[in-house]
């Protein structure tokens, strides 16, 4: 099956620093990748849609200058949380859309803890 | 935009019994409905999906039904096993699925009692 790799799986950082999360589709090319955020015991909320070679589309309420997304190739998208604060602590999950059936496959997620 | 309601929030069943989780959606243009299983601390795993041109789909112990008129779809798990314990999310999307993000239900915590 389609595999999406996400790194790191867990990161702790100090308030004010930036954190980069990588999302890779290992065995398929994904023209579109998505970034979701999940707070404890809650559902996944779409943050942004990332298309290779173009600017990401952000959902309402998501600050594009705070959550920088780069989709440099058909297999790699990155999310950078800039000037992280404790309220940014969450579980960030990426997904990649497979061309066959446009099915979304998810990475294992990144647990971000901002101190 | 799309709104997905999911019930129940928690479901406890005896091992070997069946479990049913129900979802409704608001956008009649939605045409793709996946179900994901999420274990603690992990990303969601696709377990089954259905498209709007099909009313039912089955994969071993898992089945999904779709009623487009009523705008609801359900997940059915038969002969439940302890490893089925997890949080299950339904989702809907109103395009081909590739260009738009998924709208998720709030999730159902399925507990299989031994």
């Amino acid at each position: 099956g389609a595999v999406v790799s996400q790194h790191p799986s867990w990161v702790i950082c100090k308030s004010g620093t930036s954190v980069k999360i990588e999302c890779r589709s290992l065995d398929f090319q994904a023209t579109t990748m998505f970034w979701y955020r999940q707070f404890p015991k809650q559902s996944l909320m779409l943050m942004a849609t990332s298309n290779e070679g173009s600017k990401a589309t952000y959902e309402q309420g998501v600050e594009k200058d705070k959550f920088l997304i780069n989709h440099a190739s058909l297999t790699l998208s990155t999310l950078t949380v800039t000037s992280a604060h404790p309220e940014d602590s969450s579980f960030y999950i990426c997904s990649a859309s497979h061309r066959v059936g446009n099915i979304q496959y998810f990475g294992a997620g990144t647990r971000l803890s901002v101190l | 935009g799309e709104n997905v309601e999911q019930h129940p929030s928690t479901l406890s069943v005896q091992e070997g019994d069946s479990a049913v989780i129900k979802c409704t959606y608001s956008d009649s243009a939605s045409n793709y409905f996946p179900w994901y299983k999420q274990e603690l601390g992990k990303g969601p795993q696709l377990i089954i999906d259905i498209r709007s041109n099909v009313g039912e789909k089955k994969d071993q112990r898992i089945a999904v039904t779709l009623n487009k008129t009523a705008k609801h779809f359900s997940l059915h798990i038969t002969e439940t096993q302890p490893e089925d314990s997890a949080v299950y999310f339904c989702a809907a999307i109103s395009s081909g699925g590739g260009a738009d993000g998924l709208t998720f239900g709030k999730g159902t915590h399925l507990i299989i009692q031994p």
Side-chain angles (χ1 to χ4, degrees):
Chain A
V3 179
V4 176
S5 175
Q6 188 173 340
H7 293 282
S9 58
W10 189 24
V11 58
I12 302 174
C13 70
K14 293 182 179 180
S15 185
T17 60
S18 295
V19 174
K20 179 184 284 188
I21 303 170
E22 287 191 353
C23 180
R24 294 179 184 273
S25 55
L26 296 186
D27 52 359
F28 67 100
Q29 293 183 330
T31 53
T32 306
M33 290 186 173
F34 305 87
W35 288 95
Y36 295 81
R37 180 167 51 185
Q38 185 179 33
F39 291 106
K41 297 186 178 181
Q42 293 189 22
S43 188
L44 288 80
M45 297 299 294
L46 179 67
M47 297 176 65
T49 301
S50 168
N51 290 291
E52 184 263 341
S54 63
K55 291 183 178 180
T57 302
Y58 291 82
E59 294 299 299
Q60 190 173 6
V62 178
E63 300 175 57
K64 62 179 182 181
D65 294 329
K66 182 170 186 59
F67 299 99
L68 301 179
I69 293 173
N70 184 280
H71 195 155
S73 74
L74 288 174
T75 60
L76 174 64
S77 177
T78 60
L79 168 68
T80 301
V81 183
T82 62
S83 187
H85 292 285
E87 56 265 31
D88 298 323
S89 298
S90 187
F91 194 49
Y92 293 87
I93 314 173
C94 71
S95 73
S97 178
H98 198 295
R99 289 180 181 176
V100 177
N102 285 327
I103 296 172
Q104 289 190 31
Y105 295 93
F106 283 82
T110 297
R111 174 79 53 197
L112 172 63
S113 296
V114 184
L115 304 179
Chain B
E2 176 66 276
N3 181 48
V4 178
E5 299 283 341
Q6 183 172 348
H7 298 280
S9 56
T10 303
L11 178 59
S12 181
V13 300
Q14 290 291 324
E15 181 179 353
D17 289 349
S18 295
V20 180
I21 303 171
K22 298 181 178 181
C23 289
T24 60
Y25 60 98
S26 61
D27 189 348
S28 57
S30 288
N31 56 10
Y32 176 63
F33 309 92
W35 284 89
Y36 289 88
K37 175 184 180 182
Q38 187 178 29
E39 297 177 341
L40 190 62
K42 298 183 179 180
Q45 177 188 6
L46 179 69
I47 56 172
I48 197 167
D49 58 6
I50 192 167
R51 298 187 186 273
S52 59
N53 59 345
V54 176
E56 184 175 358
K57 184 177 179 180
K58 188 174 182 179
D59 182 4
Q60 299 183 341
R61 297 187 296 110
I62 298 173
V64 56
T65 59
L66 171 65
N67 183 326
K68 286 191 297 181
T69 302
K71 290 191 284 188
H72 67 69
F73 55 113
S74 300
L75 177 71
H76 304 252
I77 305 175
T78 59
E79 301 173 24
T80 54
Q81 300 169 3
E83 53 265 36
D84 294 330
S85 294
V87 179
Y88 291 80
F89 291 97
C90 63
I93 195 165
S94 59
S95 74
D100 293 339
L102 293 163
T103 299
F104 284 87
K106 291 188 181 298
T108 296
H109 186 191
L110 178 61
I111 302 166
I112 307 301
Q113 303 278 7

